[in-house]
Amino acid sequence: MNFVEELTWRGMLHTIMPGTEEMLAKGMASGYIGFDPTADSLHVGHLTQIMTLIHFQRAGHKPYALVGGATGMVGDPSGKSQERNLLSEDVLQHNLEAVKKQLTRFLDFNSGANSAEMVNNYDWFKSFTFLDFIRDVGKHITVNYMMAKDSVKKRLEGDTGMSFTEFTYQLVQGYDFYYLWKHHNCALQMGGSDQWGNIVTGTELIRRKDAGEAFALTTQLIKKADGTKFGKTESGAVWLDAERTSPYQFYQFWLNTTDVDAKAYIRIFTLFERPVIEALEAEHDAAPHTRALQKALAKDITIRVHGKEAMRLIEITTEFTFNSSFQWEDLFDFSEKDFLKVFSSTNTFFISGKTFIDFVIGDDVLNLLVEVKNYDSDLNYKHMFESKTEARKLIMNGGVYINKIKISLDQKLSDFKLFKDKYLFIQRGKKNSALVVFCDDVPYEMERMKDLLKD
């Protein structure tokens, strides 16, 4: 497999320094990509670079994932209109551990000579004094060279300007490249196209400081076909961490991509070979309504990020939500943990201080519905149904379901079964649904359910 050819046909390659292909053709090479730990999870915006390292390793080369414990303290100005807040060492360390754990899902760290390695630039910066840095590194790169970078010029032309801290970022990243070239034989740095200026500063430092030779390659910045930012939804970024973005929400993000975007994404974010992708495209073009591309894309990425078991539960969630033949009782053999995972993207409401039997004895469906409440973290609540009058009207219009059964005003509550004697499923219209939990202590129950969902 030829690494550059692979990136090219997948539509990932943006810019490549002359001589890079020839260097890679000589045999196994080492290359790296940096990840700044600004959060305790990577998001789908990082997947392009993760896929780049995966293809690099599959082509027989040795990938390094640099986690920026030092550069995370500075902040990369590339593509940003203002300086970001600096993180404390404790927060950075927590983020580092989380990011490291996520990267191990994608790269092979036990494959012999080309095993992936993870490095932290804090290890070589922690004892590097400021005076040593400006003497040993700063003297090799001129201010004119640094100011010519687009990332610097754009900030200097803006309203906020640029701090000295961010101005020196390209020197810090450039030294990362020099250090890895010197101590790990890393001849190639890769990254998004917005990183080109920082990357070539590293190649220039290597040339000026040690008369060495190093190379650069960047990938396309991914955008949606309509020009909006990739990886963002109404609720924010799409994270790889299941606690930030549930596996079901993650799957739905990919499933809901447009036809145009799906054709690009299936090349970039899956490992499907070209004939498989072309066959999927042909199937999709013949019957777009089946969404063959989106389904294949969503399933493949979800399995690689969250695993086969999570995908199995997503398929059950989809069946429960959209297949009328899949009944509430079909979930009763599940463990409570798996059951809650099926409803991980469903609103959770509570009925506090009463058991289901209290309502069954009273046999009044309206009394039950007006007790259903959703609580926020401060224990403020809102009702699912504001009054009996509202609930009665919705029932008469056929808009209320319990456990997927449309209810009537004379419905017997004894007809309904609870999962584990505490869970009901209530739908209000087509778009509003809730998993309803009977409990004595809402804060305790909220925390217990949260803990249960943790792996």
Side-chain angles (χ1 to χ4, degrees), residues 136-355:
D136 295 341
V137 179
K139 70 177 182 179
H140 295 288
I141 303 295
T142 67
V143 171
N144 288 350
Y145 180 88
M146 295 172 68
M147 291 186 68
K149 302 299 183 186
D150 286 341
S151 60
V152 174
K153 286 194 293 186
K154 288 178 181 177
R155 286 289 296 276
L156 291 178
E157 292 168 0
D159 296 331
T160 59
M162 173 182 278
S163 70
F164 176 77
T165 301
E166 283 197 320
F167 180 63
T168 59
Y169 184 92
Q170 61 177 292
L171 276 183
V172 175
Q173 184 172 327
Y175 184 77
D176 283 343
F177 198 177
Y178 173 81
Y179 184 92
L180 292 175
W181 173 84
K182 185 83 171 177
H183 298 279
H184 294 272
N185 197 32
C186 264
L188 175 66
Q189 184 182 171
M190 299 163 281
S193 59
D194 61 339
Q195 290 295 310
W196 180 257
N198 291 334
I199 294 173
V200 297
T201 296
T203 65
E204 189 69 7
L205 180 61
I206 290 166
R207 184 184 70 80
R208 295 186 184 187
K209 186 170 170 58
D210 276 14
E213 187 177 35
F215 302 89
L217 179 153
T218 60
T219 54
Q220 303 279 356
L221 292 182
I222 309 303
K223 290 186 177 181
K224 295 181 182 178
D226 61 8
T228 58
K229 192 168 184 178
F230 167 75
K232 294 286 187 179
T233 66
E234 290 182 5
S235 57
V238 179
W239 300 92
L240 306 191
D241 188 318
E243 290 190 28
R244 284 175 171 261
T245 300
S246 74
Y248 182 77
Q249 290 170 325
F250 184 86
Y251 175 81
Q252 288 293 320
F253 168 78
W254 298 101
L255 188 66
N256 291 328
T257 56
T258 66
D259 291 349
V260 173
D261 287 333
K263 287 184 176 182
Y265 296 169
I266 203 159
R267 281 171 158 74
I268 297 168
F269 298 112
T270 76
L271 294 176
F272 295 150
E273 299 295 340
R274 194 168 191 167
V276 174
I277 289 176
E278 290 174 348
L280 284 167
E281 288 175 333
E283 179 184 350
H284 182 88
D285 290 341
H289 65 281
T290 64
R291 301 178 67 77
L293 276 177
Q294 286 91 337
K295 289 177 181 177
L297 169 70
K299 184 173 183 177
D300 178 77
I301 299 178
T302 302
I303 288 174
R304 283 190 291 116
V305 172
H306 293 294
K308 292 182 179 179
E309 178 61 17
M311 188 64 233
R312 182 183 73 85
L313 293 172
I314 289 167
E315 290 172 337
I316 291 170
T317 303
T318 304
E319 283 291 296
F320 180 80
T321 305
F322 299 108
N323 187 345
S324 59
S325 65
F326 196 101
Q327 298 302 309
W328 169 252
E329 286 81 3
D330 293 334
L331 301 173
F332 277 31
D333 289 333
F334 279 43
S335 68
E336 187 178 6
K337 181 174 184 176
D338 283 351
F339 173 86
L340 290 176
K341 285 184 176 181
V342 168
F343 293 97
S344 62
S345 296
T346 304
N347 291 320
T348 303
F349 282 65
F350 295 87
I351 293 179
S352 178
K354 293 184 180 180
T355 66

Side-chain angles (χ1 to χ4, degrees), residues 348-354 371-382 422-423 435-451:
T348 303
F349 282 65
F350 295 87
I351 293 179
S352 178
K354 293 184 180 180
E371 289 286 340
V372 178
K373 301 171 185 174
N374 176 237
Y375 293 81
D376 63 20
S377 57
D378 295 323
L379 296 183
N380 300 310
Y381 63 82
K382 62 180 180 180
K422 67 188 309 178
Y423 298 101
L435 182 66
V436 177
V437 187
F438 291 82
C439 67
D440 291 325
D441 186 336
V442 172
Y444 170 81
E445 190 65 20
M446 292 170 72
E447 195 63 30
R448 188 192 72 85
M449 293 168 65
K450 183 179 178 180
D451 289 342

